[in-house]
Amino acid sequence: MDNINLINRLSSEHNLSDSEFLKLITTSEYDAELFLAADKTRRENYKAAVYIRGLIEFTNYCKNDCFYCGIRCGNKKAVRYRLTRDDILMCCAEGYSLGFRTFVLQGGEDPYYTDDIMCEIVSSIRKNYPDCAITLSVGEKTRETYEKYFEAGANRYLLRHETALDEHYKKLHPNNMSLENRKKCLFELKKIGFQVGSGFMVGSPYQKPDNILADLRFLQELSPDMIGIGPYISHEDTPFKDKKSGSLELTIRLIAILRLMFPYALIPSTTALGTIHPEGRELGLKAGANVVMPNLSPVKVRKLYTLYDNKICTGEEAAQGNVKEH
Ligand code: 5AD
């Protein structure tokens, strides 16, 4: 009965006290009620809709050296690639014919793509596909650069905050990166008029329940349009190669909590979730997620965009595979 009261309150007030959130995060005892309530809230707001976003991973060069990420600049084993504007336009053409109306251009922080080059890519997509949304996910830039992207026709931006407490942020990133700047970028993107997505990794090294609570509180402050979370998965060529990966259980529990906190948010069931469990993405959708992001990148580069080991990238997670099933 108490379980139901707590979940009812989260459903109606979209908030709980710190200690209540910590209780929800750290035990499985509420899961059954939590998932039911999250699924109900998703249906009330979105009926049966699942939104499809075509993901184009256009460069795996990155100037950053995040300790968890397979495409960090320090990973000399990574085989690097870049897509040209024409390559990207071909991905969009394929996606468009498959029915996609949102293109997500994601890449490492690659200085090759100057503002001019990036804006030319964005404005070409905007010109060819005036009815589509263009989402960028290319990291921390100056406000001027974000403004140029927006003017060129981009309308959404994904930038996970990764973790909301400074002490933890420093354990995951080298000294030249700061949580302060990342948060600043997110608020600037919002001010410019982008629809903004943020989020964090679940089970990243050194993450404690307090960190997750801080992530939830930061998301309340930012109030993003989209919230992407996925389990941390170790990559063999990073300093964190021996660290444990995040769990399916905690990730879907957090998806459900986020759905109740943010009824209107777009919440993807991520590739990382599909990587740690064969039914991970389906379970995410049942626990309140409502977005999937099939891969539209050229098949030959998919395996090279390896943020973590064993990424699913040849089968039904791909754009082509999903459409065949319908
Ligand atoms: N495991 C899971 N997710 C990762 N990301 C980066 N490296 C990993 C990893 N090893 C996530 C980060 C980033 C997003 C694009 O991918 O949260 O923001």
Side-chain angles (χ1 to χ4, degrees), residues 68-69 106 160 162 201 231-233 307-308:
Y68 47 84
C69 183
Q106 187 178 92
R160 289 187 178 173
E162 313 295 3
M201 286 179 292
Y232 160 75
I233 303 173
L307 308 181
Y308 45 79

Side-chain angles (χ1 to χ4, degrees), residues 159-178:
L159 181 71
R160 289 187 178 173
H161 65 276
E162 313 295 3
T163 180
L165 288 184
D166 208 38
E167 197 193 317
H168 187 222
Y169 192 90
K170 288 200 174 88
K171 290 188 171 149
L172 305 183
H173 300 94
N175 278 335
N176 65 341
M177 294 180 70
S178 77

